[in-house]
Amino acid sequence: MDLRRKLEILADAAKYDASCASSGGQRRDSLAGGIGSTTGMGICHSFAPDGRCIALLKILLTNVCVFDCLYCVNRRSSNVPRARFTVDEVVRLTLGFYKRNMIEGLFLSSGIIRTPDHTMEELVRVVRCLRLDHGFRGYIHLKTIAEASPELVEEAGRYADRLSVNMELPTEQGLATLAPDKTLPAIRRSMGQLHRRIEETQAERRAPRFAPAGQSTQMIVGADGADDRTLLRTSDTLYRRFRLKRVYYSAFSPIPDTSHALPSKAPPLVREHRLYQADWLLRFYGFGVEEIGGAGGMLDLDIDPKMAWALAHRDHFPVDLNTAPRETLLRVPGLGVRMVDRLIDSRRHRRLRLEDLGRMRVPLRKITPFVVTADHRPTRLLDREHLRALLAPPPEQLSLF
Amino acid sequence: MPDITLSHPADVDGWRTAARRLLADGVPPVSVTWTVAGEQPSLFADDPAPLMEPPTGTVRVPRRFVELADMALRHSDPERFALLYGLLWRVNRDDRGVLHDPADPLVRRAESLERAVRRDIHHMTAFLRFRAVETADGDGGKDDDGPYVAWFDPAHHVVEAAVPFFVHRFAAMRWSILTPRRCAHWDGRAVRFSPGVTRDAAPDGDALDDLWRTYYAATFNPARVNPAVLQTNMPKRYWENLPEASLIPDLVKGAAERARGMVEAAPTAPSRFGRAVERTRR
Ligand code: SF4
């Protein structure tokens, strides 16, 4: 099989992993030798027609897999064509693309061949060759195979910027039905091990390097019955217990050769979007996980979760932009973290008026019902029953067909 | 009425020297005219002023101003020199804190120049592509150190500001970056700048373009097609320079059909491999 065909199969097989970050961790350059750099800020070198960032060469070493996770295009029972890269092929592709400034680095994962240890060994061989034989200083994200031996994980962490173990589904029951070869305790054990090593390395300056950009994970949305509340609670625990850098949510997507055990319809992509918004509220806006989302355990698809919270807590509003503390401003719909800090800077110099907000490009239509400025106070608006209708985007026009 | 002539469009150092001098002499912003050598002089220019001596005393400005000016002065807006001097005047004369007031109209204008320049630099680091010229094997082997040539068409005068990124990343390679404004050449040790050139001075393709297109098409998930987001993040003006861009129209057009195909396809029987493994694991 030629290299081009392999690349086609093994990139196709890897694309359902949503992670694309190439940021964080050490800063490196190649002034003293080698090739490549990391600036701390990832760069998207292209965008796919699905709107997703292309920063890394995201491929599998092989899509042969002895596991049978039903949502996965690579499960052993699937009839997709199989391929396998040699170590040298991955190295050559990575360096070739990198030197042309097409990528920030490599995202390498693999189907489980034979045993977790055997698979992990193969992955480590690739990154060892890149780092040691070629002096590659670009970004490397390596999938860690749950239940691989600690020595292999240790070596992986020495070469990789980021390691990740995928959670896939938030409940034991979901895993049992859809990913019968995986278990929650094993996944948690792997995450716990990574967490321990990352912490140790950070505590000790002279410790050998271990995954300086931390660990992340991914959960699949809409393949099992788990609701948004369950997903968010899981994320919240992962952030707090294992200090994960990111949880990715990947709306279950139709794949070639679908299993009949899966829902025939993909969840709306907007659900995934709302989960990301809620996830940000957890991490950067001081929201508790139980505050987000309605009684039904699902996020509102029509309006963003902060707006939904505000509409359900009208007694917290209006907020005076000239006096309210930062944590209160963070709860105002339409105000992002950066904007809040700019408002705080600005109000040291002036009493904020609507025209100031306009100049700072605050979304006025969204925010005016919730705030007080020197020249504005919402009166009836907050009480109006149809505030929600006013703020929710108009329903999509039906097209005549 | 002092007429300051800067040596090139991104002459930040020249501007700083002149601005310090003017400030020390108490020359207010309204009475200064700024021009770039070789560009259209302003209508009422006096005789060019003699080369400026830097003033002896130092002018102290907040660090934030230096940062802001260093970016904003690379914008293509012909007013940028005057605008930044106006701001410097205010910072120095009466209002040190003004820089921290994003609602101030002058600060806001300077910040929007700064933003545009940062964005341009970012786009340059993202969408510039090196192409290998005359290598024996153009497949990324160990000896594949160049020379490489890249073409890029920045919207502002950002070549000098973007070059350190490429030096840090590709120090071991030899490369040239060609643009219509200015060119930069790295020989493994030092950077040399030269005047801008036209598009036809740069090579068009590279041996790896085909593999990259293969990757691009394969990493795209047709079930999530969203060309609007693609275009916001990767503006069309860069497409000409990106080998993968020629695929976009067809990938978008065929997406719905492919996604429907996947949903409608009847489930197949487990693969032979799958059944074999199944037996051993039971
Ligand atoms: S282990 Fe499961 S998710 Fe991973 S490649 Fe194999 S089948 Fe897919």
Side-chain angles (χ1 to χ4, degrees), chain A residues 167-170 217-221 231 234-235 247-250:
Chain A
M167 190 85 200
E168 313 288 19
L169 301 164
T217 194
Q218 162 166 308
M219 285 192 280
I220 296 167
V221 178
L231 286 160
T234 306
S235 302
V247 174
Y248 291 90
Y249 305 90
S250 177

Side-chain angles (χ1 to χ4, degrees), chain A residues 2-19:
Chain A
D2 73 346
L3 184 61
R4 190 182 154 141
R5 178 72 183 131
K6 285 188 189 180
L7 178 60
E8 192 170 11
I9 294 172
L10 294 169
D12 185 88
K15 72 183 170 200
Y16 300 98
D17 207 302
S19 154

